[in-house]
Amino acid sequence: MAVPEEESPIHKPPIVPGRDKEPAVNGAADEEEEEDDDDVLADDEEEEEEEEEEEEEQPVTQESTMRSTRARMESLFRRLSTERVPLRVHDVIVKGNTKTKDSVIEAEIEGLKHIGTVQELLQAATVANSRLHGLGIFQAVHITLESGPHELPGTANVIVEVVETKSPFSGDFGLYTKPGVRSWILEGSARLKNLFGYGDMWDGSLSYSWDQASEVSAGVSLPRFKRLVTPVMARVTLLSQDWLKFSSYKERSLGLSLGLLSLKNHAVEYNVSWRMLSDPSQMSSRSVRRQLGHGLLSSVKYIFKVDRRNSPLRPTRGYAFVSTSQISGFVPDYRSVRFVRQEFDLRCAFPLGFYNTALNFGISTGVIFPWGSGFLKTPSSLPERFFLGGNSSPVCTLGGPTSLWGFKTRGLGPAEPRREARGNGNDENSGTDFLGGDLAVTAFTDLSFDLPLRVLREAGIHGHTFACAGSLTKLTENAFRNLSFQKVRDSFRTSAGVGIIVPTKLFRMEVNYCYILKQLEHDRGKTGVQFSFSSP
């Protein structure tokens, strides 16, 4: 029978004196511990909910990712600038070369494998990128760095990805004029790149000048050949030059040129050619007639060149220096041409700080002297002598004394009367042969500036004022014994003028007004307006 709830028996623990409060205390402690656990769990749940809410309220955006990446990069750059970070290249991987041999690319990026820090790796990657572009067979070059294997900490993999040029064939064509000699020059060239996958460059060129010179040449260059560390170049040239109007002779030669060394600032080449000098007019002077006939030229040329100018066409700052040394006569043959030739060329450009104005200064000198038995009484080789004149700008030509504003081609220096001839007309120089000089010195100053019109400045059209001086002197056949500082100073010709330069993609035109300050007898200098067209 069910017992009513209110009458249900309840067993209560007996109350013991002194202990009647313990059960109540223990129970309260247990309840407090349970409440504390519940509070901790509740607090944890609340913190998790708040973190989730914060994550929901602050989602990862592209801007925050960029800020994080920027912070990491700034930290990396700060570390690279303050300390050397050790790193070793584990592997170099080349991609994208479908035709070019791996050995060609590996030879250019060899420096990437021998580095010890991150700084050295970045520097070596820049050099490798520049060298690969310099081959001329790649449209694009990308070098990326990736971390090395996890089991090899402190290593990186370098990935070199190249994009080869789509068309291996290229060419150009141009037609230029030389008003100083009233002649036109037709130039054309064709190039075939990477034909066999060794970075080889095959090219052919043609240059034809009405009534003066024509040249046909073909050559090949290899950036790496076998185990050689420098490029190898070979070129065959067929040359015909007509100097009848100036020096009463024609020159025809067939030659071979080999590039033995080609570095950043140094070059060594060997030239051998068989040539013939002739005088169809039979009017040449005695000095020219002595050199007519066949000759064998076998020479070694060394070139040292440093060019720190910001532009070769309109330099506004920097300097350039070229030294060319040549010695000929290595073949033991009586027709071998023996001489020693040395040239120096120094250029400096200083910005003046207004209207893009710059002052250019240049000085060039050259000397040639024969060697061998009886060399003191032997004349130097006529085609290898120095000849001054022409309308080409000395600012753009670097390599030796050649140009002089206001004077025509081969228009000054030692001269000798020709033979008496019939029916020469009224040519003012029909009775003179210009023989060139053994010692040449030229100097110039050129002040270039922007024109005030904005449209001209944007097109690159600018003006310049200039002054130049030059001298040609004979040293051979004991002429050096009578040489003095006074004679060299009196032999200088000078000119000055002002002009406008118009550069285009097809040609570079220079319009100058030249005033002859000093010239000697038989010189072909003329005051007036002169035009000059040249390749850009």
Side-chain angles (χ1 to χ4, degrees):
M1 173 173 151
V3 179
E5 187 176 353
E6 61 271 11
E7 296 179 0
S8 298
I10 299 175
H11 300 280
K12 298 182 181 180
I15 300 175
V16 180
R19 295 181 57 189
D20 55 339
K21 293 183 180 180
E22 267 187 63
V25 173
N26 292 337
D30 293 339
E31 289 177 1
E32 288 178 0
E33 290 178 359
E34 290 176 0
E35 289 177 0
D36 292 339
D37 294 340
D38 295 337
D39 293 338
V40 172
L41 293 175
D43 293 338
D44 293 339
E45 290 177 358
E46 288 178 0
E47 290 177 0
E48 291 177 1
E49 290 177 358
E50 289 177 359
E51 290 177 359
E52 291 177 358
E53 289 177 0
E54 290 178 359
E55 291 177 358
E56 291 177 358
E57 292 176 359
Q58 299 179 357
V60 179
T61 62
Q62 183 177 2
E63 184 179 356
S64 62
T65 304
M66 291 178 61
R67 285 198 299 266
S68 177
T69 303
R70 189 183 299 112
R72 289 196 297 267
M73 294 300 294
E74 290 177 355
S75 176
L76 175 62
F77 290 146
R78 197 179 304 112
R79 185 183 178 190
L80 292 177
S81 62
T82 57
E83 60 179 304
R84 301 183 68 83
V85 182
L87 184 69
R88 183 172 57 87
V89 174
H90 174 258
D91 194 10
V92 178
I93 304 172
V94 179
K95 297 181 179 180
N97 55 319
T98 58
K99 188 175 183 180
T100 309
K101 307 296 183 183
D102 289 343
S103 58
V104 176
I105 300 177
E106 291 172 356
E108 302 296 335
I109 62 176
E110 183 68 23
L112 293 173
K113 301 178 181 179
H114 308 289
I115 58 96
T117 63
V118 175
Q119 291 87 344
E120 293 178 358
L121 178 58
L122 296 177
Q123 184 178 3
T126 303
V127 174
N129 192 303
S130 176
R131 295 182 65 176
L132 289 175
H133 275 291
L135 294 177
I137 59 177
F138 299 121
Q139 186 175 349
V141 177
H142 304 285
I143 299 180
T144 57
L145 309 178
E146 293 184 354
S147 59
H150 296 292
E151 60 271 14
L152 296 175
T155 62
N157 292 331
V158 180
I159 300 176
V160 180
E161 187 173 0
V162 297
V163 179
E164 296 177 335
T165 54
K166 296 180 180 180
S167 176
F169 179 81
S170 63
D172 51 52
F173 174 82
L175 183 64
Y176 314 105
T177 181
K178 287 188 175 181
V181 294
R182 298 179 182 179
S183 177
W184 289 81
I185 299 177
L186 175 67
E187 294 181 354
S189 63
R191 289 174 291 275
L192 190 60
K193 304 177 182 179
N194 208 19
L195 180 61
F196 297 107
Y198 291 97
D200 45 307
M201 303 283 288
W202 302 80
D203 72 283
S205 62
L206 169 67
S207 176
Y208 180 79
S209 175
W210 280 264
D211 298 330
Q212 189 174 358
S214 61
E215 179 180 354
V216 179
S217 64
V220 59
S221 64
L222 295 172
R224 291 290 184 272
F225 183 74
K226 298 298 183 181
R227 295 185 178 275
L228 296 179
V229 296
T230 62
V232 175
M233 294 171 287
R235 191 166 200 85
V236 178
T237 303
L238 178 62
L239 176 66
S240 175
Q241 297 188 94
D242 187 349
W243 301 110
L244 286 174
K245 291 183 179 180
F246 312 102
S247 305
S248 296
Y249 74 91
K250 283 187 174 182
E251 177 185 359
R252 291 180 175 85
S253 64
L254 175 63
L256 172 65
S257 176
L258 298 176
L260 305 179
L261 178 67
S262 180
L263 301 176
K264 182 179 180 180
N265 303 117
H266 308 271
V268 178
E269 61 182 45
Y270 173 74
N271 299 279
V272 58
S273 62
W274 181 263
R275 71 184 181 196
M276 183 184 70
L277 305 182
S278 62
D279 175 25
S281 67
Q282 298 183 355
M283 293 167 41
S284 59
S285 60
R286 183 174 178 272
S287 296
V288 174
R289 290 199 306 270
R290 291 171 58 187
Q291 301 213 19
L292 298 180
H294 294 276
L296 178 62
L297 179 66
S298 174
S299 66
V300 174
K301 181 185 293 187
Y302 167 70
I303 302 173
F304 173 76
K305 181 177 181 180
V306 177
D307 195 345
R308 296 288 188 268
R309 299 175 299 173
N310 59 341
S311 171
L313 298 180
R314 189 190 176 185
T316 57
R317 62 172 56 87
Y319 66 93
F321 175 76
V322 177
S323 171
T324 304
S325 306
Q326 183 179 8
I327 181 170
S328 175
F330 295 102
V331 178
D333 190 279
Y334 72 95
R335 289 165 295 191
S336 180
V337 182
R338 295 181 174 88
F339 63 87
V340 177
R341 197 173 194 262
Q342 178 65 52
E343 299 174 64
F344 296 105
D345 202 342
L346 176 64
R347 306 294 174 86
C348 297
F350 306 95
L352 301 184
F354 58 94
Y355 290 104
N356 201 23
T357 305
L359 178 63
N360 279 269
F361 169 79
I363 182 170
S364 305
T365 182
V367 61
I368 182 174
F369 214 83
W371 67 274
S373 177
F375 70 95
L376 292 178
K377 299 180 181 180
T378 304
S380 58
S381 174
L382 180 59
E384 272 66 46
R385 294 177 188 170
F386 297 95
F387 294 88
L388 300 182
N391 293 329
S392 58
S393 172
V395 179
C396 301
T397 56
L398 181 64
T402 55
S403 301
L404 205 63
W405 277 300
F407 291 86
K408 296 183 179 181
T409 301
R410 294 197 176 194
L412 68 150
E416 188 174 313
R418 295 176 180 174
R419 285 181 178 181
E420 293 291 337
R422 300 175 182 176
N424 282 329
N426 296 322
D427 189 353
E428 61 180 351
N429 290 288
S430 60
T432 304
D433 280 341
F434 290 94
L435 306 178
D438 303 316
L439 174 64
V441 180
T442 60
F444 76 90
T445 58
D446 179 273
L447 182 69
S448 63
F449 51 87
D450 283 345
L451 298 175
L453 296 180
R454 180 179 178 182
V455 63
L456 298 179
R457 293 197 303 268
E458 293 178 350
I461 301 174
H462 59 281
H464 73 137
T465 60
F466 56 85
C468 61
S471 170
L472 280 176
T473 307
K474 182 179 179 179
L475 298 178
T476 53
E477 298 178 292
N478 290 319
F480 69 93
R481 300 182 185 276
N482 300 323
L483 189 65
S484 65
F485 178 78
Q486 180 70 25
K487 289 185 177 180
V488 174
R489 188 186 65 180
D490 294 340
S491 67
F492 272 90
R493 287 80 161 172
T494 56
S495 65
V498 62
I500 296 177
I501 300 172
V502 183
T504 66
K505 294 182 179 180
L506 300 178
F507 59 86
R508 181 182 184 274
M509 182 178 70
E510 193 168 323
V511 184
N512 296 321
Y513 177 81
C514 301
Y515 182 79
I516 303 300
L517 299 175
K518 179 185 177 182
Q519 62 177 328
L520 304 182
E521 186 181 4
H522 303 302
D523 288 349
R524 300 178 64 197
K526 183 180 179 181
T527 296
V529 178
Q530 296 182 350
F531 294 84
S532 176
F533 295 84
S534 59
S535 56

